Amino acid sequence: MADLNGMTIAAARDALRAGEVTSVELTEACLAAIAGAGALNAFVHHTPEIALEQARAADARIKAGEAPAMCGIPLGIKDLFCTRGVPSQAGSKILDGFLPEYESTVTQNLFDAGAVMLGKLNMDEFAMGSSNETSVYGDVVNPWRRGNDDAPLTPGGSSGGSAAAVAADLCLAATGSDTGGSIRQPAAFTGITGIKPTYGRCSRWGIVAFASSLDQAGPMTRSVRDAAIMLEAMCGHDPKDSTSADLPVPDFEAMLTGDIRGRKIGIPREYRMEGMPDEIEALWAEGRRMLEDAGAEMVDISLPHTKYALPAYYVIAPAEASSNLARYDGVRYGHRARLAQGDGITEMYEKTRAEGFGHEVQRRVMVGTYVLSAGFYDAYYNRARKVRTLIKRDFEEVFAQGIDAILTPATPSAAFGLGKMSDADPVAMYLNDVFTVTVNLAGLPGIAVPAGLDKQGLPLGLQLIGRPWEEGDLLNGAYALEQAARFVAKPAKWW
């Protein structure tokens, strides 16, 4: 069987159960692909021994006839997820040398289901970034290129390593996390599928925190069916996470009928941003037509507070980050600065954090500390929280009117060149989140599906936003969109 590393989860599952391939063979194919893809800089901690041990155990489990859907499937794990005894740095120097003594709930759920960990994936430092250029490991490179242009492109962020690895067939799927679009934006930039579930659907325990009220884990896969299979394995109530929902996890794959006749899909007028590229506008119109042809009813809707989402997000997220990142001080674990004679604990904190945190993390910590400080708390943080409530209410009112899902672009552009949005203008980078942050602020599920190519041959994605806790219905809508779009393009191998 050729190109084992290019299989979907669904195809690999069926082949494993039929005895046509073994998990060890799948894993070895992925490990060989990873070894030849150093130019992408997607994998940063390699765990071949663990992978082969897990693969052998999965093969035994499959042979015994006790195999869940994810059993034997080789995955990449974003470096944000703590993995027992394996470096878990969140892309930051300040966690250099950190080896957790525990497993994140999401990775434990996947391993309990028989999944195989190939290694840890590159990411923006502490998940702060939209281009995977803030990582201590260096930039991830998108496997896609513009026509005959060799200029390296961003895979998006913060889950850039996950997106690049799945798109380049280094693993069958990967874990991602999404605080303001960090699953959906890189998925759109690399021509894969990525879903952010409802806040509370996946446990946050053991995932390095960025903004606790926004962070949510999700799968990054080659198809909607794969996303449904992997999401089910990742989900479940976790008493270790106070925000984890005690709700049954449905069989998401069984809900993929592709039948969306009579479903009402909202088209929000506020997402028609000034200066939106014609190609994004055309893709959105084509998505609307495809869903309409599938039998859905398209309804123009209004989400009036959308224009305040980005500024509210960039107050709330840094505020929570400044609180969460206060624990990295060089005392208990990770990097500690070399001290001069006479330095005390204050100097240790200052030097450690100055050396350990990159520029973007420092920027957000300072912004967050400022908006939480006396005299500015009400002016910024409290006001942003009120705006967040209004944004959430906009969605609630639309869903109360019978809307089943909302269709929007996933990103304001195709993948851009690495180094093209410089550190000198962070706001230009933040604008990449314009279509995605509302979903996190409202705690809703959202999915990005590849739907076409731009004139330079780069993938473009559409986003569907669903009702809370109705990931199955959302995935079915995405499945209908996927079937209509028939996106099968792959990057030409240059690495």
Side-chain angles (χ1 to χ4, degrees), residues 343-354:
D343 281 349
I345 192 154
T346 301
E347 289 78 15
M348 187 196 74
Y349 286 160
E350 289 173 349
K351 290 181 178 180
T352 294
R353 291 168 69 82

PDB file of all heavy atoms in Angstrom, residues 343-354:
ATOM      1  N   ASP A 343      22.755  39.674  43.097  1.00  0.00           N
ATOM      2  CA  ASP A 343      21.375  39.659  42.599  1.00  0.00           C
ATOM      3  C   ASP A 343      20.467  38.949  43.596  1.00  0.00           C
ATOM      4  O   ASP A 343      20.828  37.908  44.157  1.00  0.00           O
ATOM      5  CB  ASP A 343      21.277  38.945  41.248  1.00  0.00           C
ATOM      6  CG  ASP A 343      21.730  39.818  40.090  1.00  0.00           C
ATOM      7  OD1 ASP A 343      21.922  41.028  40.318  1.00  0.00           O
ATOM      8  OD2 ASP A 343      21.889  39.288  38.975  1.00  0.00           O
ATOM      9  N   GLY A 344      19.285  39.503  43.774  1.00  0.00           N
ATOM     10  CA  GLY A 344      18.298  38.883  44.651  1.00  0.00           C
ATOM     11  C   GLY A 344      17.169  38.273  43.857  1.00  0.00           C
ATOM     12  O   GLY A 344      17.254  38.126  42.630  1.00  0.00           O
ATOM     13  N   ILE A 345      16.066  37.972  44.536  1.00  0.00           N
ATOM     14  CA  ILE A 345      14.949  37.293  43.868  1.00  0.00           C
ATOM     15  C   ILE A 345      14.281  38.186  42.832  1.00  0.00           C
ATOM     16  O   ILE A 345      13.837  37.715  41.782  1.00  0.00           O
ATOM     17  CB  ILE A 345      13.938  36.773  44.909  1.00  0.00           C
ATOM     18  CG1 ILE A 345      12.942  35.828  44.220  1.00  0.00           C
ATOM     19  CG2 ILE A 345      13.190  37.923  45.606  1.00  0.00           C
ATOM     20  CD1 ILE A 345      12.335  34.813  45.119  1.00  0.00           C
ATOM     21  N   THR A 346      14.241  39.498  43.082  1.00  0.00           N
ATOM     22  CA  THR A 346      13.632  40.406  42.107  1.00  0.00           C
ATOM     23  C   THR A 346      14.411  40.390  40.809  1.00  0.00           C
ATOM     24  O   THR A 346      13.828  40.316  39.719  1.00  0.00           O
ATOM     25  CB  THR A 346      13.573  41.842  42.672  1.00  0.00           C
ATOM     26  OG1 THR A 346      12.810  41.834  43.876  1.00  0.00           O
ATOM     27  CG2 THR A 346      12.949  42.798  41.670  1.00  0.00           C
ATOM     28  N   GLU A 347      15.752  40.427  40.911  1.00  0.00           N
ATOM     29  CA  GLU A 347      16.590  40.387  39.711  1.00  0.00           C
ATOM     30  C   GLU A 347      16.433  39.048  38.977  1.00  0.00           C
ATOM     31  O   GLU A 347      16.464  38.991  37.756  1.00  0.00           O
ATOM     32  CB  GLU A 347      18.064  40.607  40.068  1.00  0.00           C
ATOM     33  CG  GLU A 347      18.415  42.028  40.493  1.00  0.00           C
ATOM     34  CD  GLU A 347      17.999  42.350  41.929  1.00  0.00           C
ATOM     35  OE1 GLU A 347      17.703  41.393  42.705  1.00  0.00           O
ATOM     36  OE2 GLU A 347      17.963  43.532  42.286  1.00  0.00           O
ATOM     37  N   MET A 348      16.258  37.966  39.763  1.00  0.00           N
ATOM     38  CA  MET A 348      16.079  36.657  39.132  1.00  0.00           C
ATOM     39  C   MET A 348      14.798  36.625  38.308  1.00  0.00           C
ATOM     40  O   MET A 348      14.783  36.152  37.178  1.00  0.00           O
ATOM     41  CB  MET A 348      16.041  35.552  40.185  1.00  0.00           C
ATOM     42  CG  MET A 348      16.024  34.155  39.571  1.00  0.00           C
ATOM     43  SD  MET A 348      15.533  32.867  40.711  1.00  0.00           S
ATOM     44  CE  MET A 348      13.784  33.178  40.833  1.00  0.00           C
ATOM     45  N   TYR A 349      13.708  37.140  38.905  1.00  0.00           N
ATOM     46  CA  TYR A 349      12.443  37.202  38.161  1.00  0.00           C
ATOM     47  C   TYR A 349      12.617  38.025  36.885  1.00  0.00           C
ATOM     48  O   TYR A 349      12.218  37.606  35.800  1.00  0.00           O
ATOM     49  CB  TYR A 349      11.351  37.863  39.015  1.00  0.00           C
ATOM     50  CG  TYR A 349      10.787  37.034  40.135  1.00  0.00           C
ATOM     51  CD1 TYR A 349      10.124  37.656  41.203  1.00  0.00           C
ATOM     52  CD2 TYR A 349      10.882  35.655  40.156  1.00  0.00           C
ATOM     53  CE1 TYR A 349       9.582  36.926  42.246  1.00  0.00           C
ATOM     54  CE2 TYR A 349      10.349  34.916  41.200  1.00  0.00           C
ATOM     55  CZ  TYR A 349       9.702  35.547  42.248  1.00  0.00           C
ATOM     56  OH  TYR A 349       9.174  34.816  43.274  1.00  0.00           O
ATOM     57  N   GLU A 350      13.183  39.211  37.027  1.00  0.00           N
ATOM     58  CA  GLU A 350      13.284  40.131  35.898  1.00  0.00           C
ATOM     59  C   GLU A 350      14.129  39.543  34.776  1.00  0.00           C
ATOM     60  O   GLU A 350      13.728  39.559  33.603  1.00  0.00           O
ATOM     61  CB  GLU A 350      13.873  41.467  36.359  1.00  0.00           C
ATOM     62  CG  GLU A 350      12.925  42.285  37.233  1.00  0.00           C
ATOM     63  CD  GLU A 350      13.594  43.522  37.814  1.00  0.00           C
ATOM     64  OE1 GLU A 350      14.843  43.631  37.713  1.00  0.00           O
ATOM     65  OE2 GLU A 350      12.879  44.366  38.387  1.00  0.00           O
ATOM     66  N   LYS A 351      15.306  39.014  35.130  1.00  0.00           N
ATOM     67  CA  LYS A 351      16.209  38.489  34.102  1.00  0.00           C
ATOM     68  C   LYS A 351      15.645  37.223  33.460  1.00  0.00           C
ATOM     69  O   LYS A 351      15.754  37.026  32.247  1.00  0.00           O
ATOM     70  CB  LYS A 351      17.588  38.213  34.704  1.00  0.00           C
ATOM     71  CG  LYS A 351      18.360  39.476  35.069  1.00  0.00           C
ATOM     72  CD  LYS A 351      19.739  39.143  35.630  1.00  0.00           C
ATOM     73  CE  LYS A 351      20.523  40.411  35.955  1.00  0.00           C
ATOM     74  NZ  LYS A 351      21.868  40.104  36.506  1.00  0.00           N
ATOM     75  N   THR A 352      15.038  36.361  34.272  1.00  0.00           N
ATOM     76  CA  THR A 352      14.478  35.113  33.745  1.00  0.00           C
ATOM     77  C   THR A 352      13.362  35.402  32.760  1.00  0.00           C
ATOM     78  O   THR A 352      13.324  34.828  31.656  1.00  0.00           O
ATOM     79  CB  THR A 352      13.944  34.237  34.894  1.00  0.00           C
ATOM     80  OG1 THR A 352      15.041  33.823  35.708  1.00  0.00           O
ATOM     81  CG2 THR A 352      13.226  33.002  34.368  1.00  0.00           C
ATOM     82  N   ARG A 353      12.456  36.292  33.111  1.00  0.00           N
ATOM     83  CA  ARG A 353      11.319  36.579  32.242  1.00  0.00           C
ATOM     84  C   ARG A 353      11.752  37.368  30.995  1.00  0.00           C
ATOM     85  O   ARG A 353      11.210  37.166  29.913  1.00  0.00           O
ATOM     86  CB  ARG A 353      10.243  37.328  33.022  1.00  0.00           C
ATOM     87  CG  ARG A 353       9.586  36.417  34.071  1.00  0.00           C
ATOM     88  CD  ARG A 353       8.730  37.173  35.070  1.00  0.00           C
ATOM     89  NE  ARG A 353       7.536  37.729  34.480  1.00  0.00           N
ATOM     90  CZ  ARG A 353       6.404  37.058  34.267  1.00  0.00           C
ATOM     91  NH1 ARG A 353       6.326  35.778  34.585  1.00  0.00           N
ATOM     92  NH2 ARG A 353       5.354  37.651  33.746  1.00  0.00           N
ATOM     93  N   ALA A 354      12.765  38.225  31.138  1.00  0.00           N
ATOM     94  CA  ALA A 354      13.276  38.972  29.982  1.00  0.00           C
ATOM     95  C   ALA A 354      13.943  38.030  28.985  1.00  0.00           C
ATOM     96  O   ALA A 354      13.804  38.187  27.775  1.00  0.00           O
ATOM     97  CB  ALA A 354      14.253  40.046  30.438  1.00  0.00           C
TER      98      ALA A 354
END
